[in-house]
Structures are given as structure tokens and as C-alpha cells.
Amino acid sequence: MKVKKKLSPLIICLIILSALLLFIAFFVLSKEKVDLKPDSDTSYYNSYEYGCNSMRIYNGKRFPMSDDYMVYKDGNLYVKDPMYYRADIYYSDRKENVSTSITSQRIENIEVYCDDGSLYMENHATQEKQKLDEQSQILFFDGDRVLYSVDKKKLVIVDAKNINDRKEIDYIGEIFYISINSNTLNVITKDEYKYEIFQYDVDTYLQKSHFEHSTLSDLDEPAIINDYFLYCCKDLINTSEECTFLKYNLKTGEISRAALHNYVQSVTYNNNKIYFSAEKSEWNIVRTTVEDENNGLWEVDIETGTKKKLSDECIFDDLLATENYLYCYRIDYLLPRGMDNDGYKGYSLKQIPIN
């Protein structure tokens, strides 16, 4: 008669402890180290996750720009960690972890967030919390000013350092895009397939110009760069993977093609270039990359349309470009891509010189 031997509680504990240590070692050793070089660009940029630099689109609904993965301001890079309600801020001389929520945006000590339909601004250095307005969402926050709409009839601009410094712009429509560059506030409203482009002086907030642009295509990845309104359109009729980058000249009203590419994934811009990743992939239990000449990281000159390949690497979830560097963000999952997109290990970040 055979006698079954039982494992002692000590051995069981040792087995569990060993498995836990192996898991922790895998987690730590497989996470890429982020080592960024100082960036001397003094401008403000944020990434274009989900098709717009001021809002994200999910299931047809719009959410604040807080779900962009990266925000850059004056040499500091704000990066959202998908694992937690927190972010990392990479300064020129240090890295800092800060708490944040999915409905907030934080740049250095100032955080703007929504709570029960109301909009608040909090200074974490002074512990001051102030209510901006009710039934409002963040449309734009660059660390200096907060922009939000009221009943689709009014755009409110609040100085982040002085809540009493408020200005208002009257308009009617659904805001599709907001940006501030070259001392100009750009606001695009959408009505079906008609887009109105308003430009205001950022000092006086008086209107400088107004344009109308109609297209039968749903716009994706919009931006106003210098004298161009840029966006990309995918071939929805033939359900192909072809993507066309178009540019609408705000001075002449002419529309021309800036670039054409297949399998476009993430897109961003700086003051004169378009940057995008492209990946042909297929699903077979997990998502895998299929070898294709279109794959990679690409740069396009907005004026000339000249396109060049920066890297063969093509798996990126978000991009952000300053004048000096391209920041490439990828979510790291615990399991292979496509098996469990809610199980995060963290993120990896690459900095590629472009100037």
C-alpha cells in the first residue's frame, strides 16, 4: 500500500514565495529604463491620442485631453502611467511621480479636473482648491490657461495663476479642436461635415480670422500648423488601410495632399513636420506584426511632402514631437498584445533626435 506524502506548510510557503519573487524579477527586469536627454524647446505640445489634441474620442463620445499619454511644456515631459491613476514628470534634472485621475490634467503643481460635473483647479504647492464652473469639461490646459465651454455657446479662458482673470468668447457649435500656437488661439467647430475655423489673438482674444471648410470625410488627427489646417482621412468606402494626409490652406482655401501611407496608427505634429507610426498586423490569438514596406516610424515635411523613414520599429501607442525630439510611447502589457489589454506592466518611452 502506497502512502501519499503531504507537502509541509513550510515547503508550500517557500514555493509560493519563490513564484512571487520570480514574478517580481520578471516585472522589474523586463521594464525598460527611461533615460531622457534635456530638451531645450520652450513651447507647449501634447500628444494626439484618439484623434485630437484637445479631446479623445471613444465610442462616439468626446472626453477631455487628459487621456493623452504625453504633455510637454518648457523642457518638462508629463507621461501618464497606464497602470495607476498617476503620471511621471520628467524634468531636466529629475523624475517625479504625481497622483492624477483619468478626468484630470496636471502640469507641474497645477491640476485641473472634473468632479460631479463641475470643473476645479487645484494648486498642489499651496493646497488651494478653486471651483471654475459647473457642467463643464476641460477642453485645453497648457499650464498657463484653462479653456472650457459653457452650453456650446461660450468659451471661457481662465488664467491658471489667477482664477479671477477670466475672459469669454461667444460662439455657437460643438468644439472639435483647440490649440494655441504663435500667439494665436485656434478653435474649430463642427456641424455635420461642415467645419468652421476661428482664430483669435491670445492677448486680447479678439477674432483675427474665420474660415469654413466642408468635407464628406470624417476627420482624424486634426491640427493647425502655421497656415494649414491638417487632418487625415482613411478610405472608409473600400475599407482599405490607405490613409491620406490633407492640408487646407487657411490663406487661399486650397486643399492639397501632404502624404499618402498605409496602416497608419499614431500621428503627431510639430511646427513643420508630420510624424506617424505604421504597422500592418494580424490577429491570431494574439496581435502580431506582418512584414510590410509601410511599417515603421515616418516623417513628412508639411510644405514639400517629402517622406522619410526614421526607424523600422513600428509598435507605438502614442507620439509627441517637439522641435528637437520625437517621443514614442508604448504600453507594456503583462500578456502578449491582444490577449489582455487591461493587464498592464507599465510603459516604455523612446526619445529620438529629429533636429
Side-chain angles (χ1 to χ4, degrees):
M1 181 177 178
K2 295 182 178 179
V3 178
K4 293 183 179 179
K5 294 183 178 179
K6 293 183 179 181
L7 295 175
S8 68
L10 179 60
I11 294 176
I12 293 175
C13 290
L14 288 173
I15 293 174
I16 294 173
L17 181 61
S18 299
L20 182 61
L21 290 173
L22 286 172
F23 177 79
I24 294 173
F26 165 78
F27 182 86
V28 173
L29 294 175
S30 60
K31 189 170 183 178
E32 294 188 32
K33 182 182 178 181
V34 178
D35 186 16
L36 303 181
K37 295 180 180 178
D39 195 331
S40 60
D41 195 329
T42 57
S43 302
Y44 166 86
Y45 305 90
N46 62 283
S47 56
Y48 293 77
E49 170 69 356
Y50 289 95
C52 191
N53 80 331
S54 58
M55 306 175 212
R56 62 170 281 196
I57 303 169
Y58 182 71
N59 287 343
K61 297 181 180 179
R62 295 187 174 278
F63 294 86
M65 60 170 274
S66 57
D67 284 337
D68 292 345
Y69 289 118
M70 293 180 287
V71 172
Y72 175 93
K73 180 177 171 61
D74 294 337
N76 306 323
L77 185 67
Y78 168 108
V79 182
K80 178 164 286 188
D81 191 325
M83 290 182 61
Y84 312 103
Y85 291 129
R86 70 163 207 182
D88 296 325
I89 299 181
Y90 294 89
Y91 297 97
S92 58
D93 59 346
R94 71 189 191 282
K95 173 185 172 183
E96 178 183 338
N97 301 121
V98 296
S99 298
T100 185
S101 69
I102 201 166
T103 55
S104 75
Q105 180 61 283
R106 176 169 172 167
I107 298 178
E108 295 186 336
N109 291 319
I110 298 176
E111 184 172 16
V112 182
Y113 59 91
C114 301
D115 186 11
D116 293 331
S118 296
L119 192 61
Y120 294 89
M121 184 166 64
E122 184 172 352
N123 189 317
H124 291 267
T126 62
Q127 301 298 312
E128 293 178 322
K129 175 181 175 181
Q130 297 170 300
K131 185 176 181 178
L132 296 179
D133 219 320
E134 295 181 350
Q135 302 303 316
S136 301
Q137 285 188 322
I138 311 164
L139 296 180
F140 184 90
F141 174 51
D142 64 357
D144 296 319
R145 56 185 73 82
V146 184
L147 279 71
Y148 62 91
S149 63
V150 177
D151 298 328
K152 297 184 179 179
K153 296 181 180 179
K154 183 169 59 178
L155 181 66
V156 181
I157 303 102
V158 178
D159 190 313
K161 304 295 191 300
N162 180 11
I163 192 174
N164 296 316
D165 186 353
R166 302 163 64 97
K167 295 180 175 65
E168 296 180 357
I169 297 174
D170 293 325
Y171 75 95
I172 298 176
E174 176 189 357
I175 292 183
F176 179 73
Y177 169 91
I178 289 182
S179 72
I180 295 178
N181 50 30
S182 301
N183 294 320
T184 299
L185 166 63
N186 304 294
V187 180
I188 299 178
T189 61
K190 176 184 177 182
D191 181 14
E192 292 295 329
Y193 292 106
K194 176 185 174 183
Y195 299 85
E196 292 191 73
I197 305 165
F198 302 89
Q199 295 187 306
Y200 303 89
D201 184 277
V202 295
D203 294 321
T204 63
Y205 292 102
L206 296 175
Q207 183 174 311
K208 296 165 58 177
S209 55
H210 170 244
F211 311 90
E212 292 186 6
H213 177 54
S214 297
T215 174
L216 296 177
S217 301
D218 284 325
L219 306 190
D220 199 10
E221 313 293 350
I224 291 182
I225 307 296
N226 298 325
D227 295 326
Y228 294 109
F229 170 37
L230 292 120
Y231 57 91
C232 65
C233 300
K234 291 190 176 180
D235 188 344
L236 301 177
I237 298 176
N238 300 314
T239 64
S240 74
E241 292 294 336
E242 184 178 87
C243 180
T244 305
F245 291 90
L246 297 174
K247 57 183 182 181
Y248 170 71
N249 192 310
L250 296 176
K251 290 185 175 180
T252 65
E254 295 178 342
I255 301 175
S256 57
R257 189 173 73 184
L260 181 68
H261 205 88
N262 290 343
Y263 311 112
V264 172
Q265 301 298 322
S266 297
V267 180
T268 193
Y269 309 83
N270 61 12
N271 288 328
N272 51 24
K273 301 283 177 54
I274 304 170
Y275 296 92
F276 62 88
S277 63
E279 181 201 11
K280 182 178 181 181
S281 61
E282 64 181 19
W283 294 81
N284 185 12
I285 301 178
V286 299
R287 183 180 174 185
T288 56
T289 302
V290 178
E291 186 174 347
D292 190 275
E293 61 180 6
N294 290 283
N295 291 351
L297 195 61
W298 299 83
E299 175 189 87
V300 176
D301 186 285
I302 293 174
E303 289 286 349
T304 65
T306 305
K307 181 168 59 176
K308 74 174 182 179
K309 195 173 192 177
L310 300 178
S311 172
D312 289 326
E313 192 170 356
C314 59
I315 304 175
F316 298 109
D317 294 289
D318 208 6
L319 302 172
L320 181 146
T322 68
E323 291 302 292
N324 302 313
Y325 293 99
L326 178 63
Y327 298 89
C328 308
Y329 177 99
R330 186 183 72 237
I331 298 174
D332 290 335
Y333 298 100
L334 286 172
L335 298 176
R337 277 195 308 162
M339 290 188 68
D340 180 15
N341 288 341
D342 292 325
Y344 303 123
K345 186 172 63 176
Y347 67 86
S348 59
L349 185 66
K350 292 186 181 295
Q351 183 190 47
I352 299 175
I354 53 176
N355 186 9

